[in-house]
Amino acid sequence: SGTDEHGLKIQQAAAAAGTTPPELCERVSGLFRQALAQAGVAFTDFTRTSQPRHQRAVRHFWGALSDGGALYKGSYEGWYCTPEECFLPEGQLAERKDAQGRPYKVSLETGHEVHWTKEENYMFRLSAFRDPLQDWLRDNPRAISPDPFYQRVLRWLDEDLPDLSVSRERSRLQWGIPVPGDPTQTIYVWVDALVNYLSVVGYPESHGAWWPAVQHVVGKDILKFHALYWPALLLAAGLAPPERILVHSHWTVRGQKMSKSLGNVVDPATCVGQYGVDGFRYFLLRQGVPERDCDYYDEKVVKLLNSELADALGGLLNRSTAASINPSNTYPCFSEPCFPKVLDSREAKGMGRVSAEDYELVAAVASLPVQVTGYFESFQIYKALECIAQCVRQTNGFFQRHKPWKLDRRDTGEQLWLDTILHVTLECLRIYGTLLQPVVPHMADQLLSRLAVGPGERDLSSLTFLARYNGKPCPFEGRQLGPDTGVLFQRLEKSENIKNRKQ
């Protein structure tokens, strides 16, 4: 992760704030680092485009483009959008009027004002890369996902593909990397920013250990830069495009785009304070569908987190580990005669206390790790969480159906059946806790610690479910449970109650 720090909009923002660009970037990149730490997001490297290692990589990359004949000097004019740092064609503009009725042009997508700009600068021969880009995408249908974005890039490649302006006059833009050998020009901020992906893995010397087996995660608004310009620049510099570009959509608020002018921008720090790190992460990953914009409002967050984390998952852990139902505080033993194995859940009729739904639960949870891994790999995290939530509901149904609190512990047969119910429930919870670790790390740790699952037993690769059902030994059986870790997720009040209390 990291921050792109060069460009005209940063130069202008620093001037407006009465500070220098380096001072502004130091402060803002600090805020991003703080936000990631608050959200429990770990990174191996926090890269900044103002770092010397990055500037050296950019100069080398520019040299590779130049040596390959991909650059030429030419005159360029068009509508330039400073906030987006790009030229926009007429088809992507709309006309507006200011308070005095004077017309001005804005970006159709973002509403930012554009200005007519004419410059002499370096051009990149983008038009020469139409065929190589089409070949790359046709040979790699998973290169850009989800599919609607892949299709959009293919359509762009069928349209006009003008050469790209890749530098700015130094007199207008000082906050950036000078073009090697031409101090009158500054390297275009997007070329500079995209090379970040290379500089962080050791370009130009040691990037081969990683490149091109990399995956970029980008917002849909910067798709063209990542899926057209960047692969073309890489090919021109003698490098392969990245393995995959994963694209996500945006969050709206009650159906409206977030904007400062509307005053509906959601502050992630406030949300972490209201819902906790795990609660906020769970909501975003559970409700965020990459291929389309998703809507955010507080009542929706409260309803989802209360239902799935506080009641379904937290309630299940509390009920199945309560002292009244498990006074020995151990991971109970599984009785194979109580829960005999069947090859098909339809065979389960007439098998005593075990119902067809119980066998369906066991089959669903047994297949869950592979299913969840597949969805995680394909960037469909919301589908993985839907599968887990569905299994949690089924487990609650299993627990409720057999009412273990009504069984008589003095009867040997009843005790075996009670232990088996608890064993199956705890095994289900152990699977959920393990699979949820990337999404809700603190809560997953709390759950697994309560079940006495050690740090070395939380790996996905060695995850086995209900070993005794399959005739194998279970390492958890008979183990003392961990100490009571308290409420897994505190139920949230409705937002109206919170507002009233604040008032």
Side-chain angles (χ1 to χ4, degrees):
S1 192
T3 43
D4 299 329
E5 300 186 2
H6 292 135
L8 188 59
K9 65 177 174 185
I10 290 165
Q11 182 177 299
Q12 291 175 348
T19 185
T20 64
E23 285 167 342
L24 178 73
C25 292
E26 185 68 33
R27 185 176 66 79
V28 174
S29 71
L31 292 173
F32 275 98
R33 288 188 79 120
Q34 191 181 321
L36 291 174
Q38 263 188 321
V41 176
F43 44 82
T44 47
D45 199 304
F46 190 92
T47 184
R48 298 177 59 188
T49 56
S50 55
Q51 290 169 332
R53 66 166 183 182
H54 173 70
Q55 301 196 21
R56 183 174 152 270
V58 172
R59 287 192 289 271
H60 191 278
F61 189 80
W62 183 276
L65 294 176
S66 185
D67 294 346
L71 302 177
Y72 64 93
K73 209 163 187 184
S75 185
Y76 194 86
E77 59 183 311
W79 293 103
Y80 192 74
C81 178
T82 301
E84 294 167 55
E85 296 284 15
C86 66
F87 283 98
L88 293 171
E90 283 283 351
Q92 290 178 25
L93 302 176
E95 196 162 281
R96 298 278 185 271
K97 284 196 164 81
D98 66 13
Q100 283 74 44
R102 290 173 300 211
Y104 67 98
K105 289 187 183 289
V106 298
S107 162
L108 202 57
E109 188 173 343
T110 64
H112 293 135
E113 189 173 355
V114 296
H115 300 278
W116 187 261
T117 307
K118 185 175 180 179
E119 289 186 348
E120 185 182 48
N121 40 42
Y122 287 92
M123 305 294 292
F124 170 65
R125 299 182 196 278
L126 181 64
S127 52
F129 289 89
R130 184 194 304 273
D131 290 346
L133 288 173
Q134 285 177 329
D135 292 344
W136 163 59
L137 287 176
R138 295 215 167 102
D139 292 344
N140 299 280
R142 290 176 74 248
I144 299 164
S145 62
D147 187 64
F149 298 114
Y150 172 80
Q151 299 299 336
R152 187 181 298 177
V153 178
L154 284 177
R155 286 196 299 274
W156 283 338
L157 286 168
D158 287 334
E159 296 168 3
D160 189 30
L161 208 61
D163 288 351
L164 183 66
S165 167
V166 287
S167 73
R168 298 287 176 265
E169 286 178 358
R170 191 84 185 155
S171 59
R172 205 162 70 86
L173 175 61
Q174 299 86 42
W175 181 238
I177 302 169
V179 167
D182 187 350
T184 69
Q185 296 278 315
T186 300
I187 295 173
Y188 175 42
V189 63
W190 267 105
V191 175
D192 165 0
L194 288 162
V195 176
N196 238 325
Y197 294 119
L198 283 171
S199 60
V200 80
V201 290
Y203 180 83
E205 293 88 15
S206 55
H207 61 286
W210 279 94
W211 204 271
V214 295
Q215 304 197 6
H216 302 335
V217 182
V218 304
K220 67 174 186 178
D221 53 324
I222 49 174
L223 178 62
K224 189 170 274 187
F225 297 99
H226 282 83
L228 275 189
Y229 304 159
W230 179 226
L233 288 162
L234 286 163
L235 291 168
L239 293 161
E243 191 175 279
R244 285 184 83 192
I245 299 166
L246 302 163
V247 190
H248 63 78
S249 299
H250 294 163
W251 283 96
T252 57
V253 175
R254 297 190 185 278
Q256 288 186 300
K257 193 171 182 176
M258 279 193 222
S259 81
K260 287 178 184 170
S261 56
L262 286 174
N264 66 344
V265 175
V266 176
D267 180 358
T270 305
C271 295
V272 167
Q274 270 181 300
Y275 310 121
V277 177
D278 281 351
F280 192 46
R281 283 168 64 115
Y282 185 83
F283 174 81
L284 294 179
L285 292 167
R286 175 77 167 86
Q287 294 284 304
V289 179
E291 53 263 46
R292 64 174 185 268
D293 288 351
C294 297
D295 205 33
Y296 178 95
Y297 50 93
D298 290 329
E299 296 86 342
K300 191 180 188 180
V301 187
V302 171
K303 188 177 176 184
L304 178 87
L305 299 185
N306 280 345
S307 163
E308 294 192 358
L309 296 187
D311 299 345
L313 189 64
L316 186 64
L317 178 67
N318 285 349
R319 294 166 81 196
S320 57
T321 56
S324 57
I325 211 161
N326 186 356
S328 62
N329 196 42
T330 54
Y331 210 101
C333 294
F334 179 86
S335 167
E336 286 156 82
C338 284
F339 207 123
K341 183 166 185 176
V342 294
L343 297 173
D344 187 329
S345 61
R346 285 170 295 190
E347 296 171 25
K349 288 171 186 171
M351 297 292 289
R353 297 186 173 196
V354 188
S355 67
E357 294 100 317
D358 302 338
Y359 285 105
E360 282 163 18
L361 166 68
V362 168
V365 180
S367 64
L368 196 58
V370 171
Q371 217 176 2
V372 166
T373 303
Y375 284 136
F376 277 177
E377 291 292 336
S378 64
F379 197 50
Q380 293 177 301
I381 299 165
Y382 71 103
K383 284 190 178 177
L385 297 182
E386 168 55 40
C387 290
I388 294 171
Q390 173 61 29
C391 283
V392 173
R393 283 194 289 273
Q394 279 180 270
T395 316
N396 272 298
F398 165 77
F399 198 81
Q400 192 62 33
R401 193 161 49 246
H402 295 299
K403 300 180 171 53
W405 57 91
K406 286 192 171 179
L407 297 173
D408 184 357
R409 247 187 245 100
R410 292 165 300 185
D411 182 303
T412 310
E414 297 264 283
Q415 179 68 60
L416 286 174
W417 178 227
L418 170 62
D419 287 349
T420 302
I421 295 167
L422 294 180
H423 183 94
V424 171
T425 306
L426 298 192
E427 278 290 276
C428 291
L429 282 165
R430 183 174 62 82
I431 299 294
Y432 309 147
T434 306
L435 295 176
L436 285 168
Q437 287 176 109
V439 178
V440 284
H442 307 104
M443 197 184 306
D445 173 59
Q446 190 180 336
L447 190 158
L448 294 171
S449 297
R450 179 70 176 110
L451 301 183
V453 181
E457 299 170 316
R458 302 179 178 190
D459 196 331
L460 193 63
S461 59
S462 58
L463 189 59
T464 54
F465 170 63
L466 216 56
R468 283 288 304 277
Y469 177 73
N470 294 300
K472 294 171 185 167
C474 171
F476 303 100
E477 219 169 39
R479 186 184 293 188
Q480 193 71 25
L481 292 181
D484 187 351
T485 47
V487 175
L488 192 64
F489 187 82
Q490 192 71 49
R491 270 187 70 81
L492 298 161
E493 292 183 55
K494 288 184 179 173
S495 50
E496 305 93 76
N497 296 353
I498 296 168
K499 281 177 195 163
N500 291 342
R501 209 171 59 245
K502 279 181 182 169
Q503 285 167 359

